[in-house]
Amino acid sequence: MSTAKTKKEIAVLVIPTYNEADNIGKMIEYLNTKTFPYIESKKEGLTSDWDMKILVVDANSPDGTGQVVDKLSKKYQNTYLYKETSKDGLGAAYFKGFKYAMDELKADYVFEFDADFQHPPETLPSMLKAMEEGYDYCIGSRKIKGGAEPEGRDFMRMMMTEAGGLLARFILFFPFKHFFDVTDPTTGLKVTRVKGFIDQLDMEFSHLYSKKFGYKVQLLSETLAMGAKFKEVPLKFENRTSGESKFESDTTTEILMSCIKTRWFDPTTQKFLKFGTVGFVGYVVNATTLALFSNLWNIEWLSWLLSTELAIISNFTLNNLWTFKKDAISGISQLISKFVQFNITSAGALAIQIIAGTVGVYFLGAEYRQLLLPFIIVFLVLPYNWTMYNKIIWKKKN
Ligand code: GDD
Ligand code: MN
């Protein structure tokens, strides 16, 4: 038999607490005596040797939560207490926890996990399984088959959660693929691979739009933007058995604001806004030079040709210097060949407009001509140009 032991995979459950004295002791005992032995015995198809650790990040709770954890950390070698000096919010607590888990506990994976048994520990093995399968990010969802909201929630509360979740998805991701495949954007149960993801995060609190509950949607969006391969597993969200929720009256607004800021400052959004601005400048160049040339000479086709080409030059130059600055084209031969490509894709856009316009007027009638134009631009020309620019002209270099 080989003596070389395979390296154990270290997974750290980061559990933030504020006044959870009634829960945290039970949780630590439960995890150490039931859940972890179950994982160790490789149930549910697990194959790795998992080294499970608990890191409680306590916000200096006045109810003695810290003392409970301190005591248990002497009983269980894998259980650690990180003492915060004050209650800085859930997001801040997680970031402190992530840093400690990476630097001190050598975590390969970090979990976001609640102390109050609302996240059933029974969900953990399936999440570890996802990591073994090569996923980078696994999320507990209340919205997929097998997942659920706590029983006995009144209709209004259910509708609020439902609408809130949908709104968050819309703000964060619409119309891209994660709008459809992230079913529970505000869920609190997650596991993330450290290498390539948690270790790539900006760990300064100042980078968080919200240090409270709102951190979660920003982290979700940023992790997915890093290209994390992600999977959802069903989460049966339970009722709180003891203690009180830290959800405050302004928490919903705070999460909503965090969604808006996350989307607004997202690099792709910023790029899209610049792309739109450049397109508008192109239109202005086109219109003004068309008027100018028409005054200078009487050759209609030449005025159109030159003014259109000037708009194309303006679009190409401004997009290269501004919108796609990070992937800017340089060097004379590259510039020439890309500019030729750009003219071809622009001709494509023109063709789309001509065909859609002609077909549209044919079916709807000439009275819809002017109304048709903005629709064609927004739903056909813009997506076409955006795709061509991103996938062909300013294709990412790496
Ligand atoms: N250290 C620290 N600092 N811990 C905190 C803080 C804080 O400021 N605020 C809350 N916690 C701890 C709680 O003690 C608990 O262990 C965990 O974070 C979750 O807080 P709850 O107050 O139980 O949140 P919730 O049940 O209302 O919300 C849950 O569901 C939401 C989705 O509906 C959480 O999982 C949220 O993350 C999730 O968005
Ligand atoms: Mn809770």
Side-chain angles (χ1 to χ4, degrees), residues 15-18 20 57-59 84 87-90 93 114-116 118-119 142 186-189 213 216 237 240 244-247:
I15 311 181
T17 52
Y18 184 70
E20 302 285 1
V57 183
D58 183 55
E84 296 181 275
K87 185 175 185 291
D88 292 345
L90 190 60
D114 289 356
D116 56 4
Q118 290 198 271
H119 295 158
R142 298 164 286 188
T186 58
T187 180
L189 176 61
F213 280 81
K216 171 173 321 287
F237 200 59
R240 210 179 226 281
E244 273 164 26
S245 170
K246 279 79 204 176
F247 224 77

PDB file of all heavy atoms in Angstrom, residues 15-18 20 57-59 84 87-90 93 114-116 118-119 142 186-189 213 216 237 240 244-247, ligand 1:
ATOM      1  N   ILE A  15     -19.546  30.957   9.794  1.00  0.00           N
ATOM      2  CA  ILE A  15     -20.863  31.188  10.413  1.00  0.00           C
ATOM      3  C   ILE A  15     -20.848  32.503  11.186  1.00  0.00           C
ATOM      4  O   ILE A  15     -20.291  32.580  12.277  1.00  0.00           O
ATOM      5  CB  ILE A  15     -21.251  30.041  11.385  1.00  0.00           C
ATOM      6  CG1 ILE A  15     -21.042  28.668  10.726  1.00  0.00           C
ATOM      7  CG2 ILE A  15     -22.690  30.215  11.864  1.00  0.00           C
ATOM      8  CD1 ILE A  15     -21.424  27.494  11.608  1.00  0.00           C
ATOM      9  N   PRO A  16     -21.420  33.573  10.611  1.00  0.00           N
ATOM     10  CA  PRO A  16     -21.483  34.838  11.354  1.00  0.00           C
ATOM     11  C   PRO A  16     -22.571  34.744  12.422  1.00  0.00           C
ATOM     12  O   PRO A  16     -23.612  34.122  12.194  1.00  0.00           O
ATOM     13  CB  PRO A  16     -21.892  35.861  10.299  1.00  0.00           C
ATOM     14  CG  PRO A  16     -21.906  35.143   9.004  1.00  0.00           C
ATOM     15  CD  PRO A  16     -22.036  33.698   9.300  1.00  0.00           C
ATOM     16  N   THR A  17     -22.317  35.351  13.564  1.00  0.00           N
ATOM     17  CA  THR A  17     -23.340  35.321  14.622  1.00  0.00           C
ATOM     18  C   THR A  17     -23.507  36.680  15.279  1.00  0.00           C
ATOM     19  O   THR A  17     -22.537  37.426  15.469  1.00  0.00           O
ATOM     20  CB  THR A  17     -22.960  34.326  15.743  1.00  0.00           C
ATOM     21  OG1 THR A  17     -21.631  34.606  16.187  1.00  0.00           O
ATOM     22  CG2 THR A  17     -23.083  32.886  15.291  1.00  0.00           C
ATOM     23  N   TYR A  18     -24.722  36.975  15.616  1.00  0.00           N
ATOM     24  CA  TYR A  18     -25.020  38.082  16.507  1.00  0.00           C
ATOM     25  C   TYR A  18     -26.177  37.629  17.395  1.00  0.00           C
ATOM     26  O   TYR A  18     -27.261  37.351  16.898  1.00  0.00           O
ATOM     27  CB  TYR A  18     -25.391  39.352  15.735  1.00  0.00           C
ATOM     28  CG  TYR A  18     -25.603  40.515  16.674  1.00  0.00           C
ATOM     29  CD1 TYR A  18     -24.521  41.079  17.351  1.00  0.00           C
ATOM     30  CD2 TYR A  18     -26.876  41.011  16.917  1.00  0.00           C
ATOM     31  CE1 TYR A  18     -24.702  42.116  18.247  1.00  0.00           C
ATOM     32  CE2 TYR A  18     -27.065  42.052  17.807  1.00  0.00           C
ATOM     33  CZ  TYR A  18     -25.973  42.590  18.481  1.00  0.00           C
ATOM     34  OH  TYR A  18     -26.168  43.616  19.369  1.00  0.00           O
ATOM     35  N   GLU A  20     -26.682  34.683  19.082  1.00  0.00           N
ATOM     36  CA  GLU A  20     -27.153  33.340  18.725  1.00  0.00           C
ATOM     37  C   GLU A  20     -26.756  32.337  19.803  1.00  0.00           C
ATOM     38  O   GLU A  20     -26.518  31.158  19.519  1.00  0.00           O
ATOM     39  CB  GLU A  20     -26.576  32.906  17.366  1.00  0.00           C
ATOM     40  CG  GLU A  20     -26.880  33.800  16.192  1.00  0.00           C
ATOM     41  CD  GLU A  20     -28.330  33.686  15.680  1.00  0.00           C
ATOM     42  OE1 GLU A  20     -29.115  32.906  16.255  1.00  0.00           O
ATOM     43  OE2 GLU A  20     -28.663  34.409  14.722  1.00  0.00           O
ATOM     44  N   VAL A  57     -17.831  33.814  13.223  1.00  0.00           N
ATOM     45  CA  VAL A  57     -17.424  35.222  13.260  1.00  0.00           C
ATOM     46  C   VAL A  57     -18.457  35.962  14.104  1.00  0.00           C
ATOM     47  O   VAL A  57     -19.566  36.231  13.646  1.00  0.00           O
ATOM     48  CB  VAL A  57     -17.359  35.829  11.845  1.00  0.00           C
ATOM     49  CG1 VAL A  57     -16.866  37.266  11.898  1.00  0.00           C
ATOM     50  CG2 VAL A  57     -16.459  34.991  10.940  1.00  0.00           C
ATOM     51  N   ASP A  58     -18.093  36.217  15.349  1.00  0.00           N
ATOM     52  CA  ASP A  58     -19.081  36.795  16.265  1.00  0.00           C
ATOM     53  C   ASP A  58     -18.914  38.302  16.425  1.00  0.00           C
ATOM     54  O   ASP A  58     -17.827  38.804  16.684  1.00  0.00           O
ATOM     55  CB  ASP A  58     -18.993  36.126  17.634  1.00  0.00           C
ATOM     56  CG  ASP A  58     -20.070  36.667  18.560  1.00  0.00           C
ATOM     57  OD1 ASP A  58     -21.256  36.600  18.179  1.00  0.00           O
ATOM     58  OD2 ASP A  58     -19.725  37.193  19.647  1.00  0.00           O
ATOM     59  N   ALA A  59     -20.050  39.002  16.295  1.00  0.00           N
ATOM     60  CA  ALA A  59     -20.056  40.467  16.345  1.00  0.00           C
ATOM     61  C   ALA A  59     -20.111  40.961  17.792  1.00  0.00           C
ATOM     62  O   ALA A  59     -20.912  41.835  18.119  1.00  0.00           O
ATOM     63  CB  ALA A  59     -21.238  41.001  15.553  1.00  0.00           C
ATOM     64  N   GLU A  84     -15.144  39.784  16.491  1.00  0.00           N
ATOM     65  CA  GLU A  84     -15.213  41.151  15.964  1.00  0.00           C
ATOM     66  C   GLU A  84     -15.353  42.087  17.160  1.00  0.00           C
ATOM     67  O   GLU A  84     -15.929  41.714  18.177  1.00  0.00           O
ATOM     68  CB  GLU A  84     -16.449  41.322  15.074  1.00  0.00           C
ATOM     69  CG  GLU A  84     -16.474  40.482  13.828  1.00  0.00           C
ATOM     70  CD  GLU A  84     -17.740  40.755  13.011  1.00  0.00           C
ATOM     71  OE1 GLU A  84     -18.777  40.131  13.302  1.00  0.00           O
ATOM     72  OE2 GLU A  84     -17.688  41.616  12.107  1.00  0.00           O
ATOM     73  N   LYS A  87     -20.476  45.140  15.878  1.00  0.00           N
ATOM     74  CA  LYS A  87     -21.368  44.586  14.874  1.00  0.00           C
ATOM     75  C   LYS A  87     -21.240  45.433  13.604  1.00  0.00           C
ATOM     76  O   LYS A  87     -21.770  46.531  13.529  1.00  0.00           O
ATOM     77  CB  LYS A  87     -22.812  44.606  15.391  1.00  0.00           C
ATOM     78  CG  LYS A  87     -23.817  43.927  14.470  1.00  0.00           C
ATOM     79  CD  LYS A  87     -25.187  43.896  15.145  1.00  0.00           C
ATOM     80  CE  LYS A  87     -26.201  43.127  14.331  1.00  0.00           C
ATOM     81  NZ  LYS A  87     -26.574  43.808  13.094  1.00  0.00           N
ATOM     82  N   ASP A  88     -20.503  44.908  12.623  1.00  0.00           N
ATOM     83  CA  ASP A  88     -20.217  45.677  11.413  1.00  0.00           C
ATOM     84  C   ASP A  88     -21.094  45.286  10.235  1.00  0.00           C
ATOM     85  O   ASP A  88     -20.912  45.797   9.136  1.00  0.00           O
ATOM     86  CB  ASP A  88     -18.749  45.481  11.008  1.00  0.00           C
ATOM     87  CG  ASP A  88     -17.809  46.114  12.012  1.00  0.00           C
ATOM     88  OD1 ASP A  88     -18.288  46.930  12.836  1.00  0.00           O
ATOM     89  OD2 ASP A  88     -16.605  45.793  11.986  1.00  0.00           O
ATOM     90  N   GLY A  89     -22.000  44.343  10.449  1.00  0.00           N
ATOM     91  CA  GLY A  89     -22.854  43.888   9.349  1.00  0.00           C
ATOM     92  C   GLY A  89     -22.453  42.515   8.852  1.00  0.00           C
ATOM     93  O   GLY A  89     -21.297  42.090   9.015  1.00  0.00           O
ATOM     94  N   LEU A  90     -23.403  41.851   8.213  1.00  0.00           N
ATOM     95  CA  LEU A  90     -23.207  40.472   7.755  1.00  0.00           C
ATOM     96  C   LEU A  90     -22.107  40.376   6.687  1.00  0.00           C
ATOM     97  O   LEU A  90     -21.263  39.476   6.725  1.00  0.00           O
ATOM     98  CB  LEU A  90     -24.535  39.949   7.201  1.00  0.00           C
ATOM     99  CG  LEU A  90     -24.628  38.466   6.888  1.00  0.00           C
ATOM    100  CD1 LEU A  90     -24.380  37.636   8.139  1.00  0.00           C
ATOM    101  CD2 LEU A  90     -26.000  38.133   6.310  1.00  0.00           C
ATOM    102  N   ALA A  93     -18.742  40.793   8.198  1.00  0.00           N
ATOM    103  CA  ALA A  93     -18.394  39.586   8.959  1.00  0.00           C
ATOM    104  C   ALA A  93     -17.884  38.490   8.023  1.00  0.00           C
ATOM    105  O   ALA A  93     -16.883  37.829   8.293  1.00  0.00           O
ATOM    106  CB  ALA A  93     -19.608  39.087   9.742  1.00  0.00           C
ATOM    107  N   ASP A 114     -25.701  29.919   8.022  1.00  0.00           N
ATOM    108  CA  ASP A 114     -26.358  30.586   9.157  1.00  0.00           C
ATOM    109  C   ASP A 114     -26.295  29.731  10.423  1.00  0.00           C
ATOM    110  O   ASP A 114     -26.288  28.510  10.350  1.00  0.00           O
ATOM    111  CB  ASP A 114     -27.826  30.875   8.838  1.00  0.00           C
ATOM    112  CG  ASP A 114     -27.981  31.979   7.801  1.00  0.00           C
ATOM    113  OD1 ASP A 114     -26.950  32.563   7.395  1.00  0.00           O
ATOM    114  OD2 ASP A 114     -29.129  32.245   7.400  1.00  0.00           O
ATOM    115  N   ALA A 115     -26.308  30.403  11.562  1.00  0.00           N
ATOM    116  CA  ALA A 115     -26.183  29.707  12.845  1.00  0.00           C
ATOM    117  C   ALA A 115     -27.502  29.156  13.354  1.00  0.00           C
ATOM    118  O   ALA A 115     -27.529  28.330  14.252  1.00  0.00           O
ATOM    119  CB  ALA A 115     -25.615  30.666  13.890  1.00  0.00           C
ATOM    120  N   ASP A 116     -28.631  29.619  12.779  1.00  0.00           N
ATOM    121  CA  ASP A 116     -29.928  29.424  13.421  1.00  0.00           C
ATOM    122  C   ASP A 116     -30.727  28.218  12.921  1.00  0.00           C
ATOM    123  O   ASP A 116     -31.937  28.163  13.111  1.00  0.00           O
ATOM    124  CB  ASP A 116     -30.762  30.686  13.262  1.00  0.00           C
ATOM    125  CG  ASP A 116     -30.918  31.082  11.798  1.00  0.00           C
ATOM    126  OD1 ASP A 116     -30.443  30.334  10.917  1.00  0.00           O
ATOM    127  OD2 ASP A 116     -31.517  32.138  11.530  1.00  0.00           O
ATOM    128  N   GLN A 118     -31.710  27.544  10.078  1.00  0.00           N
ATOM    129  CA  GLN A 118     -32.570  27.777   8.916  1.00  0.00           C
ATOM    130  C   GLN A 118     -31.960  27.133   7.679  1.00  0.00           C
ATOM    131  O   GLN A 118     -32.665  26.827   6.730  1.00  0.00           O
ATOM    132  CB  GLN A 118     -32.797  29.277   8.710  1.00  0.00           C
ATOM    133  CG  GLN A 118     -33.675  29.878   9.804  1.00  0.00           C
ATOM    134  CD  GLN A 118     -34.263  31.207   9.389  1.00  0.00           C
ATOM    135  OE1 GLN A 118     -33.643  32.239   9.603  1.00  0.00           O
ATOM    136  NE2 GLN A 118     -35.436  31.186   8.797  1.00  0.00           N
ATOM    137  N   HIS A 119     -30.638  26.981   7.680  1.00  0.00           N
ATOM    138  CA  HIS A 119     -29.948  26.219   6.627  1.00  0.00           C
ATOM    139  C   HIS A 119     -29.727  24.816   7.175  1.00  0.00           C
ATOM    140  O   HIS A 119     -28.883  24.636   8.053  1.00  0.00           O
ATOM    141  CB  HIS A 119     -28.594  26.842   6.291  1.00  0.00           C
ATOM    142  CG  HIS A 119     -28.683  28.202   5.684  1.00  0.00           C
ATOM    143  ND1 HIS A 119     -27.630  29.099   5.708  1.00  0.00           N
ATOM    144  CD2 HIS A 119     -29.678  28.830   5.027  1.00  0.00           C
ATOM    145  CE1 HIS A 119     -27.980  30.207   5.098  1.00  0.00           C
ATOM    146  NE2 HIS A 119     -29.225  30.079   4.678  1.00  0.00           N
ATOM    147  N   ARG A 142     -34.107  28.000  -2.796  1.00  0.00           N
ATOM    148  CA  ARG A 142     -35.439  27.666  -2.283  1.00  0.00           C
ATOM    149  C   ARG A 142     -36.419  27.492  -3.421  1.00  0.00           C
ATOM    150  O   ARG A 142     -37.541  27.064  -3.236  1.00  0.00           O
ATOM    151  CB  ARG A 142     -35.938  28.801  -1.379  1.00  0.00           C
ATOM    152  CG  ARG A 142     -35.069  29.017  -0.154  1.00  0.00           C
ATOM    153  CD  ARG A 142     -35.342  30.352   0.492  1.00  0.00           C
ATOM    154  NE  ARG A 142     -34.784  31.446  -0.299  1.00  0.00           N
ATOM    155  CZ  ARG A 142     -34.739  32.714   0.089  1.00  0.00           C
ATOM    156  NH1 ARG A 142     -35.256  33.053   1.255  1.00  0.00           N
ATOM    157  NH2 ARG A 142     -34.208  33.646  -0.671  1.00  0.00           N
ATOM    158  N   THR A 186     -31.017  35.897  -3.575  1.00  0.00           N
ATOM    159  CA  THR A 186     -30.718  36.409  -2.232  1.00  0.00           C
ATOM    160  C   THR A 186     -30.475  35.299  -1.217  1.00  0.00           C
ATOM    161  O   THR A 186     -30.410  35.553  -0.019  1.00  0.00           O
ATOM    162  CB  THR A 186     -31.859  37.307  -1.712  1.00  0.00           C
ATOM    163  OG1 THR A 186     -33.073  36.544  -1.700  1.00  0.00           O
ATOM    164  CG2 THR A 186     -32.032  38.541  -2.571  1.00  0.00           C
ATOM    165  N   THR A 187     -30.336  34.097  -1.693  1.00  0.00           N
ATOM    166  CA  THR A 187     -30.095  32.988  -0.765  1.00  0.00           C
ATOM    167  C   THR A 187     -28.821  33.215   0.060  1.00  0.00           C
ATOM    168  O   THR A 187     -27.878  33.856  -0.407  1.00  0.00           O
ATOM    169  CB  THR A 187     -29.981  31.651  -1.529  1.00  0.00           C
ATOM    170  OG1 THR A 187     -29.748  30.608  -0.588  1.00  0.00           O
ATOM    171  CG2 THR A 187     -28.842  31.670  -2.528  1.00  0.00           C
ATOM    172  N   GLY A 188     -28.810  32.677   1.268  1.00  0.00           N
ATOM    173  CA  GLY A 188     -27.647  32.872   2.132  1.00  0.00           C
ATOM    174  C   GLY A 188     -26.750  31.668   2.231  1.00  0.00           C
ATOM    175  O   GLY A 188     -25.724  31.703   2.897  1.00  0.00           O
ATOM    176  N   LEU A 189     -27.111  30.584   1.569  1.00  0.00           N
ATOM    177  CA  LEU A 189     -26.329  29.349   1.672  1.00  0.00           C
ATOM    178  C   LEU A 189     -25.518  29.117   0.398  1.00  0.00           C
ATOM    179  O   LEU A 189     -26.091  28.935  -0.677  1.00  0.00           O
ATOM    180  CB  LEU A 189     -27.262  28.151   1.922  1.00  0.00           C
ATOM    181  CG  LEU A 189     -26.601  26.766   1.966  1.00  0.00           C
ATOM    182  CD1 LEU A 189     -25.582  26.668   3.091  1.00  0.00           C
ATOM    183  CD2 LEU A 189     -27.642  25.660   2.101  1.00  0.00           C
ATOM    184  N   PHE A 213     -26.670  42.945   4.697  1.00  0.00           N
ATOM    185  CA  PHE A 213     -27.199  41.823   3.920  1.00  0.00           C
ATOM    186  C   PHE A 213     -26.972  41.982   2.407  1.00  0.00           C
ATOM    187  O   PHE A 213     -26.877  41.005   1.689  1.00  0.00           O
ATOM    188  CB  PHE A 213     -28.692  41.627   4.212  1.00  0.00           C
ATOM    189  CG  PHE A 213     -28.970  40.887   5.489  1.00  0.00           C
ATOM    190  CD1 PHE A 213     -28.932  41.537   6.714  1.00  0.00           C
ATOM    191  CD2 PHE A 213     -29.243  39.532   5.481  1.00  0.00           C
ATOM    192  CE1 PHE A 213     -29.178  40.863   7.898  1.00  0.00           C
ATOM    193  CE2 PHE A 213     -29.490  38.835   6.659  1.00  0.00           C
ATOM    194  CZ  PHE A 213     -29.458  39.508   7.875  1.00  0.00           C
ATOM    195  N   LYS A 216     -24.466  40.254  -0.427  1.00  0.00           N
ATOM    196  CA  LYS A 216     -24.697  38.939  -1.012  1.00  0.00           C
ATOM    197  C   LYS A 216     -24.943  38.981  -2.522  1.00  0.00           C
ATOM    198  O   LYS A 216     -24.419  38.161  -3.247  1.00  0.00           O
ATOM    199  CB  LYS A 216     -25.874  38.415  -0.214  1.00  0.00           C
ATOM    200  CG  LYS A 216     -26.556  37.263  -0.538  1.00  0.00           C
ATOM    201  CD  LYS A 216     -27.593  36.898   0.551  1.00  0.00           C
ATOM    202  CE  LYS A 216     -27.218  37.101   1.997  1.00  0.00           C
ATOM    203  NZ  LYS A 216     -26.261  36.161   2.521  1.00  0.00           N
ATOM    204  N   PHE A 237     -35.507  25.832   3.350  1.00  0.00           N
ATOM    205  CA  PHE A 237     -35.280  26.883   4.334  1.00  0.00           C
ATOM    206  C   PHE A 237     -36.239  26.672   5.497  1.00  0.00           C
ATOM    207  O   PHE A 237     -37.446  26.663   5.310  1.00  0.00           O
ATOM    208  CB  PHE A 237     -35.528  28.230   3.656  1.00  0.00           C
ATOM    209  CG  PHE A 237     -34.906  29.407   4.356  1.00  0.00           C
ATOM    210  CD1 PHE A 237     -33.545  29.471   4.565  1.00  0.00           C
ATOM    211  CD2 PHE A 237     -35.701  30.469   4.779  1.00  0.00           C
ATOM    212  CE1 PHE A 237     -32.971  30.567   5.185  1.00  0.00           C
ATOM    213  CE2 PHE A 237     -35.132  31.571   5.404  1.00  0.00           C
ATOM    214  CZ  PHE A 237     -33.763  31.617   5.611  1.00  0.00           C
ATOM    215  N   ARG A 240     -36.920  29.668  11.993  1.00  0.00           N
ATOM    216  CA  ARG A 240     -35.999  29.876  13.084  1.00  0.00           C
ATOM    217  C   ARG A 240     -36.587  29.223  14.337  1.00  0.00           C
ATOM    218  O   ARG A 240     -37.775  29.387  14.620  1.00  0.00           O
ATOM    219  CB  ARG A 240     -35.874  31.380  13.305  1.00  0.00           C
ATOM    220  CG  ARG A 240     -34.546  31.821  13.844  1.00  0.00           C
ATOM    221  CD  ARG A 240     -34.571  33.328  13.974  1.00  0.00           C
ATOM    222  NE  ARG A 240     -33.350  33.926  13.430  1.00  0.00           N
ATOM    223  CZ  ARG A 240     -32.204  33.956  14.093  1.00  0.00           C
ATOM    224  NH1 ARG A 240     -32.099  33.432  15.283  1.00  0.00           N
ATOM    225  NH2 ARG A 240     -31.142  34.523  13.538  1.00  0.00           N
ATOM    226  N   GLU A 244     -33.652  35.766  17.425  1.00  0.00           N
ATOM    227  CA  GLU A 244     -34.391  36.665  16.529  1.00  0.00           C
ATOM    228  C   GLU A 244     -33.646  36.915  15.230  1.00  0.00           C
ATOM    229  O   GLU A 244     -32.418  36.929  15.204  1.00  0.00           O
ATOM    230  CB  GLU A 244     -34.605  38.016  17.226  1.00  0.00           C
ATOM    231  CG  GLU A 244     -35.851  38.043  18.086  1.00  0.00           C
ATOM    232  CD  GLU A 244     -35.819  39.208  19.052  1.00  0.00           C
ATOM    233  OE1 GLU A 244     -35.153  40.222  18.741  1.00  0.00           O
ATOM    234  OE2 GLU A 244     -36.452  39.081  20.120  1.00  0.00           O
ATOM    235  N   SER A 245     -34.414  37.159  14.169  1.00  0.00           N
ATOM    236  CA  SER A 245     -33.817  37.507  12.887  1.00  0.00           C
ATOM    237  C   SER A 245     -33.172  38.886  12.985  1.00  0.00           C
ATOM    238  O   SER A 245     -33.642  39.752  13.705  1.00  0.00           O
ATOM    239  CB  SER A 245     -34.891  37.512  11.801  1.00  0.00           C
ATOM    240  OG  SER A 245     -34.343  38.070  10.625  1.00  0.00           O
ATOM    241  N   LYS A 246     -32.066  39.059  12.256  1.00  0.00           N
ATOM    242  CA  LYS A 246     -31.379  40.365  12.250  1.00  0.00           C
ATOM    243  C   LYS A 246     -31.794  41.206  11.050  1.00  0.00           C
ATOM    244  O   LYS A 246     -31.231  42.247  10.760  1.00  0.00           O
ATOM    245  CB  LYS A 246     -29.858  40.171  12.263  1.00  0.00           C
ATOM    246  CG  LYS A 246     -29.294  39.901  13.649  1.00  0.00           C
ATOM    247  CD  LYS A 246     -29.514  38.465  14.047  1.00  0.00           C
ATOM    248  CE  LYS A 246     -29.525  38.286  15.563  1.00  0.00           C
ATOM    249  NZ  LYS A 246     -29.842  36.883  15.924  1.00  0.00           N
ATOM    250  N   PHE A 247     -32.759  40.685  10.332  1.00  0.00           N
ATOM    251  CA  PHE A 247     -33.343  41.400   9.200  1.00  0.00           C
ATOM    252  C   PHE A 247     -34.052  42.641   9.738  1.00  0.00           C
ATOM    253  O   PHE A 247     -34.937  42.529  10.580  1.00  0.00           O
ATOM    254  CB  PHE A 247     -34.373  40.471   8.524  1.00  0.00           C
ATOM    255  CG  PHE A 247     -34.289  40.465   7.034  1.00  0.00           C
ATOM    256  CD1 PHE A 247     -33.298  39.761   6.383  1.00  0.00           C
ATOM    257  CD2 PHE A 247     -35.229  41.156   6.283  1.00  0.00           C
ATOM    258  CE1 PHE A 247     -33.228  39.740   5.002  1.00  0.00           C
ATOM    259  CE2 PHE A 247     -35.164  41.144   4.898  1.00  0.00           C
ATOM    260  CZ  PHE A 247     -34.165  40.429   4.261  1.00  0.00           C
TER     261      PHE A 247
HETATM  262  N1  GDD B   1     -21.249  38.719  12.780  1.00  0.00           N
HETATM  263  C1  GDD B   1     -22.462  39.107  12.377  1.00  0.00           C
HETATM  264  N2  GDD B   1     -22.699  40.436  12.147  1.00  0.00           N
HETATM  265  N3  GDD B   1     -23.435  38.177  12.163  1.00  0.00           N
HETATM  266  C2  GDD B   1     -24.642  38.588  11.746  1.00  0.00           C
HETATM  267  C3  GDD B   1     -24.948  39.949  11.501  1.00  0.00           C
HETATM  268  C4  GDD B   1     -23.900  40.912  11.741  1.00  0.00           C
HETATM  269  O1  GDD B   1     -24.070  42.123  11.573  1.00  0.00           O
HETATM  270  N4  GDD B   1     -26.227  40.023  11.077  1.00  0.00           N
HETATM  271  C5  GDD B   1     -26.703  38.762  11.051  1.00  0.00           C
HETATM  272  N5  GDD B   1     -25.768  37.890  11.475  1.00  0.00           N
HETATM  273  C6  GDD B   1     -25.875  36.410  11.543  1.00  0.00           C
HETATM  274  C7  GDD B   1     -27.010  35.863  12.343  1.00  0.00           C
HETATM  275  O2  GDD B   1     -26.691  35.725  13.704  1.00  0.00           O
HETATM  276  C8  GDD B   1     -27.288  34.527  11.655  1.00  0.00           C
HETATM  277  O3  GDD B   1     -26.425  33.519  12.096  1.00  0.00           O
HETATM  278  C9  GDD B   1     -26.966  34.815  10.194  1.00  0.00           C
HETATM  279  O4  GDD B   1     -26.104  35.954  10.206  1.00  0.00           O
HETATM  280  C10 GDD B   1     -28.229  35.121   9.376  1.00  0.00           C
HETATM  281  O5  GDD B   1     -28.957  36.162   9.992  1.00  0.00           O
HETATM  282  P1  GDD B   1     -30.529  36.087  10.198  1.00  0.00           P
HETATM  283  O6  GDD B   1     -30.943  37.263  10.985  1.00  0.00           O
HETATM  284  O7  GDD B   1     -30.919  34.737  10.706  1.00  0.00           O
HETATM  285  O8  GDD B   1     -31.007  36.274   8.704  1.00  0.00           O
HETATM  286  P2  GDD B   1     -32.387  35.857   8.063  1.00  0.00           P
HETATM  287  O9  GDD B   1     -32.759  34.472   8.489  1.00  0.00           O
HETATM  288  O10 GDD B   1     -33.370  36.910   8.264  1.00  0.00           O
HETATM  289  O11 GDD B   1     -31.958  35.832   6.530  1.00  0.00           O
HETATM  290  C11 GDD B   1     -31.494  34.644   5.936  1.00  0.00           C
HETATM  291  O12 GDD B   1     -32.189  34.447   4.735  1.00  0.00           O
HETATM  292  C12 GDD B   1     -31.995  35.442   3.755  1.00  0.00           C
HETATM  293  C13 GDD B   1     -32.804  35.109   2.535  1.00  0.00           C
HETATM  294  O13 GDD B   1     -34.123  35.276   2.755  1.00  0.00           O
HETATM  295  C14 GDD B   1     -29.995  34.731   5.671  1.00  0.00           C
HETATM  296  O14 GDD B   1     -29.526  33.493   5.202  1.00  0.00           O
HETATM  297  C15 GDD B   1     -29.694  35.767   4.622  1.00  0.00           C
HETATM  298  O15 GDD B   1     -28.302  35.685   4.306  1.00  0.00           O
HETATM  299  C16 GDD B   1     -30.541  35.531   3.398  1.00  0.00           C
HETATM  300  O16 GDD B   1     -30.351  36.576   2.476  1.00  0.00           O
END
